[in-house]
Amino acid sequence: MSSATHTSLAGWPTALTVDGRVEGDRAVLLPRGELVHGCAQVLARTLAGLPDTVRSVDLDMREVSFMDTAGLQFLEALDTYGRRRRVPVTATGWNEQPRRVLETAGLDPGDPLNGPATRREPVPSAVVMERTQQLDLLRTEVEHLRRAIAGRPVIDQARGVLMATHACSPDQAWDVLREASQLSNTKLRKVAAVVTAGAGGEEPPASPAVRRALRTAIDRCLN
């Protein structure tokens, strides 16, 4: 089984695929790519295709390289499936950047749906409410940031995009732009335009050199 979605981040196309297999009454799913806009729908389609004989679903997240707040919707889709079908679900093996987002959202990166406090006993309602509020606040902050950067110059917009998608500081976002500009020998404004165009779903007028420079700069400055 396999489902996929395509999106664009910082000027280059990326894809999320969800492969899987069924072992007896256990489904093992392997998402690959980035948890961004549309990822929850991809997972929902994959889960809908599982046979009725499945009694547990385990996601191996080692091949997920990046997530933004859409990744929280991905987890909600998995949790909803588990509750509706009354089967245990897990999502383990998270990489560095997704782990930071999960921690910011107040979730356990070891297994955000079944953390240590929830494995043996129900989660107190107060904890559930607090976690829900944390998730709502995170989504609201990102949405406000996206709206605020819309009216700013392109370099400020690009910094805001990087901050929203990579959960980084303003200084780190600036370092990414500057590093990519130097690596590709391209004006900073043109690099920023690539980032903002990619975030808006447009096809940016970027050379392969600029795209490679952005990837390298993100790895160097944010990891």
Side-chain angles (χ1 to χ4, degrees):
M1 70 186 73
S2 179
S3 297
T5 188
H6 296 271
T7 184
S8 180
L9 174 64
W12 58 86
T14 60
L16 172 72
T17 62
V18 181
D19 299 320
R21 66 185 186 276
V22 176
E23 303 172 344
D25 61 357
R26 173 175 176 257
V28 180
L29 304 183
L30 180 63
R32 289 189 175 93
E34 301 182 352
L35 300 187
V36 291
H37 179 70
C39 64
Q41 290 82 353
V42 173
L43 177 62
R45 289 196 296 269
T46 302
L47 294 172
L50 295 177
D52 293 337
T53 55
V54 166
R55 292 294 176 264
S56 67
V57 179
D58 298 321
L59 270 65
D60 182 346
M61 308 303 295
R62 287 178 295 178
E63 298 296 326
V64 171
S65 58
F66 172 84
M67 71 177 282
D68 61 15
T69 52
L72 302 178
Q73 299 172 356
F74 180 93
L75 289 174
E76 287 178 356
L78 177 60
D79 186 56
T80 298
Y81 174 87
R83 292 178 183 277
R84 287 179 178 175
R85 295 290 303 273
R86 297 183 179 179
V87 299
V89 294
T90 65
T92 59
W94 297 87
N95 286 312
E96 182 69 20
Q97 190 277 339
R99 288 177 68 89
R100 291 200 300 267
V101 175
L102 293 172
E103 289 171 351
T104 302
L107 299 174
D108 176 12
D111 185 356
L113 298 179
N114 304 280
T118 65
R119 286 179 182 156
R120 299 183 182 276
E121 57 186 18
V123 180
S125 58
V127 175
V128 174
M129 291 180 62
E130 181 180 1
R131 179 175 296 177
T132 301
Q133 290 172 352
Q134 289 173 331
L135 296 181
D136 289 342
L137 285 173
L138 182 62
R139 293 193 189 100
T140 300
E141 288 174 2
V142 171
E143 183 60 30
H144 286 172
L145 178 59
R146 287 172 176 164
R147 292 179 181 177
I149 65 178
R152 296 181 181 178
V154 65
I155 293 176
D156 283 348
Q157 289 187 36
R159 290 175 69 188
V161 168
L162 291 170
M163 290 164 61
T165 56
H166 293 279
C168 64
S169 69
D171 288 342
Q172 288 175 312
W174 172 257
D175 289 342
V176 168
L177 295 175
R178 183 179 57 185
E179 180 90 359
S181 174
Q182 294 173 350
L183 289 172
S184 62
N185 195 25
T186 304
K187 290 184 178 180
L188 188 65
R189 183 174 295 276
K190 290 186 178 180
V191 174
V194 171
V195 174
T196 56
E202 304 172 9
E203 183 64 27
S207 68
V210 173
R211 298 183 185 187
R212 287 194 300 269
L214 276 166
R215 292 191 188 99
T216 301
I218 288 171
D219 288 340
R220 289 183 182 179
C221 300
L222 303 184
N223 294 325

